[in-house]
């Protein structure tokens, strides 16, 4: 059971990393507004903070979904609602 949880967490984390290109854009846009001497620490700190938050939230979320049975359908419904709203807003404009 522990191996299943670890594999699930790793798969979710890899998927999240692949989908987090918007974080890279946000971090780079913030870094472009600071003096050149501070850009590298801002970029490195932003990437590190994003990775730590991603890992922590993935770990917490997967543990919650594993322990609380009714949370999985609620999370799925939330994803469907968010996806529907994104599609509605896209086609409305």
């Amino acid at each position: 059971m522990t191996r299943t949880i670890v594999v699930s967490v790793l798969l979710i984390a890899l998927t999240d990393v692949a989908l987090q290109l918007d974080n890279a854009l946000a971090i780079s846009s913030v870094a472009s507004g600071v003096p050149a001497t501070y850009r590298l620490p801002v970029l490195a700190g932003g990437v590190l903070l994003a990775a730590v938050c991603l890992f922590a939230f993935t770990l917490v979320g997967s543990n919650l979904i594993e322990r609380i049975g009714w949370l999985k359908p609620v999370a799925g419904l939330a994803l469907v609602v968010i996806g529907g709203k994104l599609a509605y807003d896209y086609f409305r404009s």
Side-chain angles (χ1 to χ4, degrees), residues 52-70:
V52 167
C53 287
L54 176 66
F55 180 73
F57 292 141
T58 301
L59 187 62
V60 169
S62 63
N63 278 326
L64 284 175
I65 286 175
E66 183 71 28
R67 292 175 187 216
I68 304 172
W70 57 266

Side-chain angles (χ1 to χ4, degrees), residues 5-74:
I5 293 172
V6 170
V7 170
S8 297
V9 167
L10 288 176
L11 289 174
I12 291 169
L14 287 174
T15 303
D16 284 345
V17 167
L19 297 174
Q20 293 300 324
L21 293 176
D22 60 335
N23 281 349
L25 291 173
I27 293 166
S28 63
S29 68
V30 168
S32 69
V34 299
T37 56
Y38 297 115
R39 273 194 200 131
L40 185 59
V42 168
L43 284 170
V47 169
L48 182 63
L49 181 62
V52 167
C53 287
L54 176 66
F55 180 73
F57 292 141
T58 301
L59 187 62
V60 169
S62 63
N63 278 326
L64 284 175
I65 286 175
E66 183 71 28
R67 292 175 187 216
I68 304 172
W70 57 266
L71 196 57
K72 191 181 279 186
V74 171

